[in-house]
């Protein structure tokens, strides 16, 4: 009996849903694998991150006839020296600012309420009665809820860093062998594939490698320069927690487009508690720094813009944050870009194959 395309599609969907339902029922069988995956995930992510950061340096030293093993060990020594300098020069200030900021969180909402009331008492805002509309109370409630959410994320971040320090001993070892062998693993993978797939698989891996290299190297360098510019600006206006806020803004700027907005939220709140004038100065500093990054630094570092729409970025980050939390947000964009490349390659292959089948049938 012939079954139409519509009914075959419905049967396929029902079977897929049935499989998902059955897997959900026996999900306890997969808990050990999920636990093992969570343990291995962070070392792998950090290894890939530092691999793309350090690979150009290793390649440059290797081009100068320095053996790869010696090059990697030299880089490890330089990184160890930078870490020591960080703990001696930067960490004391950063630790103190972090401690003061965390202790001031319970008072933050009240400080915002007080600043709004002082702002209303000024002549420019006397015609606006915020108390009658309960806007002040609502803003305070929103801010309190935001502070509670931030506290939860801070707790998650602490757990994240605890896990990182537990498994950090594996990262230098994995990174050493990955840098030493470089692209040997990808060549072995390509040789294991059928011969007619190797050319396209090689092109796909090169494209994925280029995407990861451009994104990681470009974003890290841009975030470092942006953080330095913002920090200098915050120092000039005497903003509290300047180092902490600049580092936070630089880290979240790894997320294209919306990272700039996320990084400015705590900065504006801290500046508003100080005075509305400080808010204006903070916005000016951020606007100047972002324009320098976008119009001068970005084109020279990237060479071209990311091929991803801002709306797609927002949706991808929201979905990834819901699924994977902070880690999901950080890896959302490169994972999306890699998936996009692979999907495009698979679609092109299937389309090419579907057009060749009728031609073969006609020739026969």
């Amino acid at each position: 009996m012939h079954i139409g395309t519509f009914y075959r599609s419905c049967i396929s969907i029902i079977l897929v849903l049935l499989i998902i339902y059955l897997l959900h029922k026996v999900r306890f069988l997969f808990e050990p694998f999920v636990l093992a995956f969570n343990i291995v995930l962070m070392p792998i992510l950090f290894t890939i991150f530092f691999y793309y950061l350090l690979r150009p340096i290793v390649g440059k030293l290797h081009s100068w006839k320095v053996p790869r093993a010696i090059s990697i060990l030299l880089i490890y020594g330089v990184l160890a020296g930078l870490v020591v300098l960080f703990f001696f020069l930067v960490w004391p200030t950063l630790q103190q600012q972090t401690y003061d900021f965390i202790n001031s969180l319970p008072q933050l909402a009240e400080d915002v309420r007080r600043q709004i009331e002082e702002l209303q008492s000024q002549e420019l805002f006397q015609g606006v009665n915020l108390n009658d509309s309960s806007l002040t109370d609502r803003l305070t409630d929103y801010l309190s809820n935001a502070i509670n959410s931030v506290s939860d994320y801070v707790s998650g971040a602490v757990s994240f860093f605890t896990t990182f320090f537990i498994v950090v001993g594996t990262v230098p070892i994995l990174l050493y062998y990955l840098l030493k062998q470089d692209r040997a693993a990808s060549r072995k993978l390509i040789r294991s594939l059928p011969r007619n797939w190797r050319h396209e698989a090689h092109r796909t891996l090169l494209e994925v490698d280029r995407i990861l290299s451009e994104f990681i190297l470009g974003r890290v360098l841009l975030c470092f320069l942006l953080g330095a510019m913002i920090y200098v600006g915050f120092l000039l206006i005497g903003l509290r927690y300047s180092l902490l806020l600049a580092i936070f803004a630089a880290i979240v700027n790894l997320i294209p487009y919306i990272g700039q907005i996320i990084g400015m939220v705590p900065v504006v709140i801290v500046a508003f508690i100080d005075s509305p004038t400080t808010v204006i100065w903070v916005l000016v500093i951020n606007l100047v720094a972002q324009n320098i990054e976008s119009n001068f630094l970005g084109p020279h570092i990237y060479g071209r813009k990311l091929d991803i729409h801002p709306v797609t970025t927002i949706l991808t980050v929201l979905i990834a944050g819901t699924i994977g939390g902070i880690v999901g947000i950080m890896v959302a964009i490169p994972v999306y870009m890699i998936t996009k490349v692979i999907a495009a390659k698979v679609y092109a292959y299937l389309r090419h194959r579907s057009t060749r089948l009728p031609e073969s049938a006609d020739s026969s």
Side-chain angles (χ1 to χ4, degrees):
M1 183 179 65
H2 177 71
I3 301 178
T5 304
F6 173 75
Y7 292 104
R8 287 202 302 269
S9 300
C10 291
I11 293 173
S12 300
I13 294 173
I14 292 173
L15 290 176
V16 170
L17 294 176
L18 180 61
I19 293 173
I20 295 174
Y21 174 76
L22 293 176
L23 290 175
H24 176 72
K25 287 296 184 181
V26 295
R27 63 185 183 276
F28 60 91
L29 297 175
F30 302 97
E31 289 180 358
F33 301 99
V34 173
L35 180 61
F37 175 77
N38 291 333
I39 294 175
V40 175
L41 177 63
M42 295 311 302
I44 291 176
L45 290 178
F46 277 102
T47 301
I48 294 173
F49 178 79
F50 285 107
Y51 168 73
Y52 281 102
L53 279 183
L54 302 180
R55 187 178 67 176
I57 305 175
V58 175
K60 191 66 176 177
L61 292 175
H62 187 62
S63 67
W64 293 344
K65 308 302 181 182
V66 180
R68 282 190 170 272
I70 303 299
S71 302
I72 298 169
L73 293 178
L74 286 174
I75 294 173
Y76 278 10
V78 173
L79 289 178
L82 292 176
V83 170
V84 172
L85 287 177
F86 173 82
F87 275 101
F88 274 102
L89 301 178
V90 180
W91 178 249
T93 303
L94 181 61
Q95 183 184 29
Q96 186 62 44
Q97 290 187 7
T98 305
Y99 179 78
D100 294 340
F101 182 76
I102 293 175
N103 287 337
S104 66
L105 283 178
Q107 187 64 24
L108 197 60
E110 187 60 32
D111 290 339
V112 171
R113 177 196 290 271
R114 174 183 54 79
Q115 190 60 250
I116 292 176
E117 293 175 353
E118 292 181 2
L119 188 65
Q120 185 185 358
S121 64
Q122 297 181 8
E123 183 178 354
L124 182 62
F125 297 94
Q126 284 182 354
V128 182
N129 194 341
L130 298 176
N131 291 328
D132 290 344
S133 61
S134 300
L135 180 59
T136 304
D137 295 334
R138 290 202 298 271
L139 287 175
T140 304
D141 292 338
Y142 292 152
L143 185 60
S144 300
N145 294 332
I147 291 172
N148 292 332
S149 300
V150 168
S151 300
D152 294 338
Y153 272 104
V154 167
S155 301
V158 171
S159 176
F160 162 75
F161 282 111
T162 302
T163 305
F164 165 66
F165 282 116
I166 291 174
V167 300
V168 71
T170 61
V171 173
I173 300 173
L174 294 174
L175 182 61
Y176 174 83
Y177 285 105
L178 193 61
L179 287 171
K180 186 178 179 181
Q181 297 182 358
D182 200 14
R183 295 181 173 90
S186 62
R187 289 193 291 267
K188 291 180 180 178
L189 176 62
I190 292 173
R191 285 197 297 267
S192 66
L193 296 175
R195 187 175 297 275
N196 58 335
W197 289 9
R198 291 178 184 177
H199 177 68
E200 198 61 36
H202 179 67
R203 291 178 56 189
T204 303
L205 288 177
L206 287 179
E207 183 71 12
V208 170
D209 181 76
R210 182 190 63 79
I211 288 173
L212 288 175
S213 179
E214 288 183 358
F215 182 84
I216 293 176
L217 281 173
R219 294 309 300 179
V220 168
L221 185 55
L222 284 178
C223 290
F224 175 78
L225 296 175
L226 178 69
M229 290 187 292
I230 290 177
Y231 178 58
V232 171
F234 289 171
L235 284 179
L236 292 176
I237 64 174
L239 184 68
R240 289 188 299 171
Y241 319 120
S242 56
L243 180 61
L244 175 64
L245 295 175
I247 291 177
F248 175 76
I251 292 175
V252 297
N253 197 56
L254 286 169
I255 309 170
Y257 304 115
I258 65 172
Q260 304 169 2
I261 301 174
I262 298 174
M264 284 307 297
V265 170
V267 176
V268 171
I269 293 175
V270 172
F272 181 73
I273 292 174
D274 185 40
S275 70
T277 305
T278 307
V279 174
I280 297 175
W281 279 113
V282 161
L283 294 176
V284 169
I285 291 170
N286 182 71
L287 183 63
V288 172
Q290 295 291 349
N291 274 278
I292 293 175
E293 179 208 4
S294 302
N295 299 323
F296 296 99
L297 299 176
H300 289 88
I301 293 175
Y302 272 128
R304 60 190 183 90
K305 292 185 179 294
L306 289 174
D307 186 19
I308 179 172
H309 197 275
V311 176
T312 305
T313 301
I314 295 173
L315 294 177
T316 303
V317 170
L318 289 176
I319 295 173
T322 303
I323 297 174
I326 297 176
V327 178
I329 290 174
M330 290 299 179
V331 303
I333 301 304
V335 168
Y336 167 80
M337 297 172 70
I338 293 171
T339 305
K340 181 180 176 182
V341 169
I342 295 176
K345 296 289 185 182
V346 172
Y347 174 76
Y349 172 77
L350 294 177
R351 185 177 180 181
H352 178 68
R353 183 180 178 183
S354 63
T355 54
R356 288 181 59 186
L357 289 176
E359 295 175 359
S360 302
D362 293 339
S363 60
S364 61

